Amino acid sequence: MYKPLALHLVFVGLVQGVGFRPFITRIALKHGLKGYVKNIGGSEVEVWIEGDSESIDNFLASIFYEKPPVAIIDYIYASFEEPRGYELFTIEKSESGVYTRSNIPPDFAVCSDCLREILDPSNRRYKYPFNSCAWCGPRFSMMYKSPYDRENTAMGKYILCEDCLREYRDPENTRRYHAQGISCPRDGPRLKLLDRDFREIVVDDPIVEAAKLIDEGYIVAVKGIGGYHIASLATNDDVVLELRKRKKRPRKPFAVMGLDVDVLKKLVYMDSSDEELLRSPQAPILLLPKKPDSPVSRYVSPDLSHEGVFIAYTPLHYLLLMNTRDKFLVMTSGNVHGEPMCTSEECARAKLGEIADYFLVHDREIVNRVDDSVLRKTGGSYVFLRRSRGYAPAWITINRDLNGEYIAFGGDLTSAGAVGFEDKVVLTQYIGDLDSLSAQRDLLSSIEFLVENYHIGEKYKPVVVVDMHPRLYSRKIGLKYAESNGLNVVEIQHHYAHVLGAAVDNNLSGLVAGVALDGVGWGLDNTIWGAEILLFNTEEYGFKRLGSIKPLPLTSDRDTYQPIRLAVSYFVKQGFELQEVFKLLGLNLEREVLVELEAVYKLVKLGRHTPASSTGRLIDMVAAILNPSITRSYEGEPAIWLEARAYHGEIREIDDFKITSENNLLLLDYREVVEWILNNKERLEVETIARSFLYNYGVALGELVLESIKGLRVDYVVASGGAIVNEYIYRGLRNKLAEHGLNVLIPRRIPPNDGGLAFGQVVAASLYTSVNS
């Protein structure tokens, strides 16, 4: 007679909301083990098994070979215990207590099995728009709190019917045994079609009717899993232009959702890795090169080389697209200009009534707003532009212990906050620009969700982390939060957070040279920085500024919206009179713009301007020289326009960048490059000038790095900031450094833009507190 063993296990990682407890139960029963499995309040899973040593060994092996496809096991805490004499193996009621912290599950795209069910006329979930299972469907967007149990989600109000309950209790039902979000047409959310006044339109199938309306040219608001989308035809110029008019969105590109990858292949070029990403459980929007014969209206992404595309990632979207003529639609965020996406019917009625003609809605609450994630390729690898649905709020494990707990408030553009603890940093979902009060409230509530559900502050007093820029909304929110909760504050310089974050995201240790390229960050000298070479050690707090670019004169925030102001400021600063500048640039602008430029001239002459060593502003100026009427209607528009022009251009060598020294700082001087652009403006195509400038700017930055670190034993070079995603700047920098045996690494798990800033803030604050504690 063998003596039974007992093993106590706590699983940490992405183990709630992914079918992990049912999976553990199946393999425990398969190997003849007794005990229990249950969810714990820190999003971990606890397991107790009893049996002989061989069965336990086989059980442990099965965990790694057979685990659910979306589950991620980061750690297992294990200890042998005295057996308790369990007679069965069961799923026990979840506990609110916490052994340790584990991952909050993000939302997952519909799986192929659930998709097959909604397309099978013999299946009871045929055409059911809310079909999901243990492997797919909404998670974070419908969670009130952890642990991930039905009663803690927006599905709690839907009582399972007999058939769903039978599946839920059946250990042999791999996808639905104890799957918290399951439902069917009898017991799940209800769908209805509403007119602009929110009166219900009674039809047999609201989805079929909505698809018919879209095909007729109407604009329909669709309530998804993380917020509302606005859906319309993507092939009709008049419809797209009308949508732009209603959304007050003159040029910012719309995303295109296709039924599947095969549909999208008719619109854009993609390789096998692109297909895999589009079909993944994360199913993000992916920027891909347009095909010249694409039927998509040119007004969907005007003057751009790439289209943002994604596949139908919920049954609702799939059924809607399936019933349209094109099988692809514009599917853009359901929001008014400058505000977050709507998540409630109250918001939709109040704010989307002037945009949408009809509303396709359901009665399941959206608890946490989650925008679609957006990725692109830079240097042949994927980088985040927006990290949200499918990824947030899963944690990012780093190569160090933070030795404390941190709450970071990020920046103001493409914003996200974060919390940090142990060796984890957790970014909030994408919040967006903080210009509106609703976005500012979203940042605070999203941070508070992480604080509560990751149990920040229960054992240690956390530190609040903010940017140094005195005018940022994120800083003000963070300072007020710290004051209200009696917490200490650490201020972190913007570009240091960027490059330190890039280094730690790439698991680097030691002396690093960082290249920070963006639009606006507050410098230690109270000027605007944005093209910085910083030297730092990942194990120590602080940095040394080694290099930058010659600053441009910034007269006001208007310069970022009207880039021709930058060009005028630059030339006036060089000693030109206003009429000379007008002639030099060949300006033929509207009277009100010319009056504005006269004001700029006076401000520069009076010395009322701020020096800005900004990559973003330099690119804006070059874009304005090539296209004087260009304006910024969305963040980064001139830079995006310039990169799109460069996509079709050739590279000409420009060796006119010069490196000078001033106050022990190396400076990249681009004055002769601006002359080169002016001299070739009529001789070369805009596309070639654009590509040549961007690539050679990257090369020159590489030379600046090499000159800056001469004589130093630098282990690595990293680059971050919103501008580093530019393909041609990155290529130039990479190729120049490669000539000298150096690789340049950019963030891959976090956005290089300010959406990843809070990540670096957390790491920097941990280094600061270790020095100053």
Side-chain angles (χ1 to χ4, degrees):
M1 191 78 177
Y2 73 90
K3 181 181 179 181
L5 302 174
L7 187 60
H8 180 231
L9 303 163
V10 177
F11 290 88
V12 176
L14 192 54
V15 290
Q16 288 193 19
V18 293
F20 197 75
R21 288 178 301 163
F23 158 70
I24 290 291
T25 304
R26 282 193 301 276
I27 62 172
L29 294 173
K30 181 172 94 172
H31 296 297
L33 299 172
K34 318 298 182 186
Y36 66 84
V37 59
K38 61 182 174 183
N39 279 344
I40 305 297
S43 294
E44 68 271 51
V45 170
E46 180 187 4
V47 176
W48 183 287
I49 51 171
E50 296 181 0
D52 63 81
S53 60
E54 183 180 356
S55 297
I56 289 177
D57 287 345
N58 291 334
F59 168 85
L60 294 174
S62 295
I63 289 173
F64 293 97
Y65 290 118
E66 302 173 26
K67 70 178 179 65
V70 289
I72 298 172
I73 301 171
D74 288 332
Y75 309 105
I76 303 175
Y77 295 95
S79 61
F80 282 103
E81 306 288 346
E82 282 297 315
R84 299 173 180 172
Y86 288 99
E87 296 183 356
L88 300 170
F89 193 93
T90 58
I91 296 179
E92 289 194 354
K93 182 176 175 60
S94 300
E95 287 188 5
S96 58
V98 177
Y99 280 114
T100 185
R101 289 172 279 215
S102 194
N103 249 321
I104 295 170
D107 299 318
F108 299 113
V110 60
C111 68
S112 56
D113 293 296
C114 283
L115 209 52
R116 275 193 292 271
E117 289 172 344
I118 68 169
L119 299 177
D120 179 3
S122 66
N123 193 285
R124 70 188 188 89
R125 292 186 172 89
Y126 178 54
K127 292 185 177 180
Y128 180 52
F130 305 101
N131 195 23
S132 71
C133 70
W135 299 341
C136 73
R139 300 291 194 271
F140 170 59
S141 62
M142 65 179 189
M143 278 182 68
Y144 297 115
K145 62 180 182 178
S146 59
Y148 179 73
D149 290 329
R150 194 177 181 93
E151 61 265 28
N152 292 335
T153 74
M155 290 299 293
K157 68 179 183 180
Y158 303 103
I159 308 303
L160 295 177
C161 69
E162 298 89 340
D163 290 330
C164 286
L165 197 58
R166 190 179 305 111
E167 293 173 331
Y168 184 82
R169 292 172 173 170
D170 180 9
E172 298 303 314
N173 193 319
T174 305
R175 291 172 39 245
R176 294 211 163 86
Y177 178 48
H178 269 266
Q180 302 304 309
I182 65 169
S183 62
C184 76
R186 290 175 59 192
D187 59 25
R190 295 289 186 266
L191 196 66
K192 55 187 176 182
L193 185 65
L194 308 174
D195 65 15
R196 182 172 278 184
D197 296 318
F198 261 59
R199 294 174 300 203
E200 183 173 2
I201 302 170
V202 180
V203 291
D204 291 336
D205 190 331
I207 292 178
V208 171
E209 187 64 26
K212 179 182 176 184
L213 290 167
I214 292 171
D215 279 347
E216 291 174 359
Y218 292 102
I219 296 169
V220 177
V222 181
K223 185 180 180 183
I225 60 174
Y228 276 78
H229 283 113
I230 303 294
S232 78
L233 289 173
T235 51
N236 186 302
D237 289 352
D238 292 337
V239 170
V240 176
L241 288 171
E242 179 63 21
L243 177 57
R244 289 202 171 280
K245 178 181 175 183
R246 294 185 188 183
K247 284 207 75 179
K248 298 180 174 64
R249 185 169 166 168
R251 292 181 299 276
K252 187 177 181 179
F254 294 131
V256 175
M257 178 182 279
L259 184 69
D260 52 32
V261 165
D262 290 334
V263 169
L264 294 179
K265 283 181 179 179
K266 300 172 184 175
L267 316 181
V268 293
Y269 294 106
M270 66 176 72
D271 59 28
S272 58
S273 63
D274 301 328
E275 290 185 43
E276 184 178 355
L277 183 57
L278 289 166
R279 288 190 177 116
S280 71
Q282 291 73 36
I285 296 172
L286 185 56
L287 302 188
L288 293 171
K290 298 178 186 179
K291 286 190 171 178
D293 58 348
S294 168
V296 173
S297 166
R298 65 191 180 95
Y299 297 111
V300 169
S301 51
D303 293 329
L304 300 184
S305 56
H306 287 53
E307 204 83 80
V309 297
F310 59 145
I311 65 167
Y313 59 83
T314 75
L316 172 58
H317 291 104
Y318 192 94
L319 293 168
L320 178 66
L321 286 162
M322 186 178 72
N323 284 283
T324 62
R325 72 179 189 215
D326 294 330
K327 305 298 183 283
F328 62 88
L329 298 171
V330 166
M331 195 69 71
T332 190
S333 299
N335 66 325
V336 296
H337 180 71
E339 295 198 12
M341 172 171 66
C342 281
T343 59
S344 67
E345 282 65 57
E346 293 76 18
C347 175
R349 184 170 190 170
K351 297 184 177 181
L352 303 183
E354 298 300 314
I355 297 173
D357 299 304
Y358 296 92
F359 295 80
L360 185 62
V361 305
H362 55 79
D363 61 0
R364 182 173 65 200
E365 181 185 359
I366 298 172
V367 180
N368 296 304
R369 179 172 69 84
V370 192
D371 292 74
D372 297 310
S373 294
V374 183
L375 289 91
R376 60 165 283 169
K377 276 182 176 174
T378 295
S381 298
Y382 298 111
V383 292
F384 281 103
L385 299 182
R386 183 194 295 176
R387 184 181 181 272
S388 202
R389 176 185 53 77
Y391 300 94
W395 66 35
I396 298 168
T397 304
I398 61 177
N399 61 349
R400 67 201 55 226
D401 193 312
L402 293 168
N403 294 310
E405 296 180 350
Y406 304 88
I407 305 170
F409 284 78
D412 274 16
L413 301 176
T414 60
S415 178
V419 298
F421 53 88
E422 300 164 5
D423 60 346
K424 317 286 192 308
V425 181
V426 187
L427 286 166
T428 69
Q429 71 274 37
Y430 164 84
I431 303 300
D433 297 350
L434 300 185
D435 296 331
S436 68
L437 283 173
S438 52
Q440 294 166 30
R441 285 193 293 264
D442 271 8
L443 174 64
L444 183 59
S445 64
S446 296
I447 287 174
E448 287 177 334
F449 179 91
L450 297 185
V451 168
E452 179 183 351
N453 287 281
Y454 281 112
H455 306 277
I456 304 298
E458 292 185 3
K459 290 185 178 180
Y460 308 100
K461 190 174 183 179
V463 173
V464 168
V465 197
V466 298
D467 192 276
M468 288 180 59
H469 198 306
R471 292 171 56 189
L472 292 190
Y473 294 115
S474 59
R475 173 188 171 87
K476 294 173 184 176
I477 297 166
L479 293 178
K480 186 174 181 181
Y481 181 89
E483 182 182 5
S484 300
N485 292 279
L487 301 176
N488 292 331
V489 176
V490 173
E491 301 176 344
I492 302 297
Q493 200 280 326
H494 190 88
H495 301 98
Y496 177 47
H498 269 312
V499 294
L500 179 62
V504 173
D505 181 42
N506 281 284
N507 292 316
L508 305 183
S509 295
L511 197 61
V512 179
V515 184
L517 305 177
D518 63 4
V520 174
W522 195 254
L524 297 182
D525 58 358
N526 295 329
T527 67
I528 300 299
W529 292 4
E532 313 307 321
I533 312 301
L534 306 181
L535 183 71
F536 62 96
N537 192 312
T538 63
E539 310 307 312
E540 301 171 3
Y541 177 74
F543 66 92
K544 183 178 181 181
R545 189 187 188 205
L546 301 179
S548 186
I549 66 171
K550 281 276 189 180
L552 285 163
L554 204 63
T555 58
S556 82
D557 289 344
R558 279 286 298 163
D559 294 354
T560 64
Y561 295 94
Q562 194 75 262
I564 193 63
R565 291 170 57 107
L566 287 163
V568 169
S569 296
Y570 169 80
F571 285 109
V572 172
K573 186 71 175 173
Q574 296 301 311
F576 289 87
E577 292 300 316
L578 187 60
Q579 292 305 316
E580 292 178 304
V581 175
F582 286 178
K583 183 178 180 181
L584 190 69
L585 297 175
L587 297 187
N588 183 21
L589 301 172
E590 297 176 0
R591 175 61 187 162
E592 55 265 32
V593 177
L594 294 176
V595 170
E596 190 173 340
L597 296 181
E598 290 173 2
V600 168
Y601 168 78
K602 292 175 182 177
L603 288 170
V604 176
K605 282 291 189 180
L606 292 170
R608 294 170 60 182
H609 55 79
T610 300
S613 58
S614 164
T615 293
R617 301 297 78 83
L618 176 60
I619 293 174
D620 287 352
M621 184 181 77
V622 171
I625 292 172
L626 297 175
N627 179 8
S629 63
I630 195 169
T631 58
R632 191 196 89 173
S633 65
Y634 60 92
E635 175 61 23
E637 181 177 3
I640 293 169
W641 176 86
L642 198 66
E643 186 182 18
R645 301 285 73 70
Y647 183 74
H648 297 288
E650 300 174 359
I651 293 178
R652 301 292 177 90
E653 183 179 357
I654 308 175
D655 58 2
D656 298 315
F657 286 99
K658 308 297 180 189
I659 296 176
T660 63
S661 179
E662 189 174 308
N663 298 323
N664 295 317
L665 182 70
L666 293 178
L667 293 176
L668 188 65
D669 190 333
Y670 44 81
R671 284 177 295 182
E672 293 182 21
V673 177
V674 174
E675 291 179 22
W676 181 92
I677 293 170
L678 285 171
N679 292 337
N680 286 280
K681 187 177 175 182
E682 303 300 327
R683 190 174 66 85
L684 296 176
E685 292 182 339
V686 168
E687 289 77 7
T688 292
I689 295 176
R691 189 162 184 156
S692 300
F693 165 73
L694 293 170
Y695 180 82
N696 284 282
Y697 178 56
V699 170
L701 287 169
E703 292 173 343
L704 185 63
V705 170
L706 294 169
E707 190 68 24
S708 298
I709 64 175
K710 188 179 293 184
L712 300 173
R713 298 185 63 181
V714 172
D715 300 315
Y716 307 100
V717 178
V718 299
S720 191
I724 195 56
V725 302
N726 185 292
E727 178 68 25
Y728 308 104
I729 294 177
Y730 172 78
R731 281 191 206 175
L733 176 64
R734 178 195 63 188
N735 293 350
K736 185 62 186 178
L737 292 177
E739 291 176 7
H740 295 264
L742 288 171
N743 294 324
V744 59
L745 300 170
I746 65 175
R748 297 298 180 186
R749 296 181 294 173
I750 63 172
N753 59 32
D754 283 5
L757 189 68
F759 178 94
Q761 288 176 341
V762 166
V763 179
S766 75
L767 294 174
Y768 177 87
T769 53
S770 68
V771 172
N772 294 277
S773 57

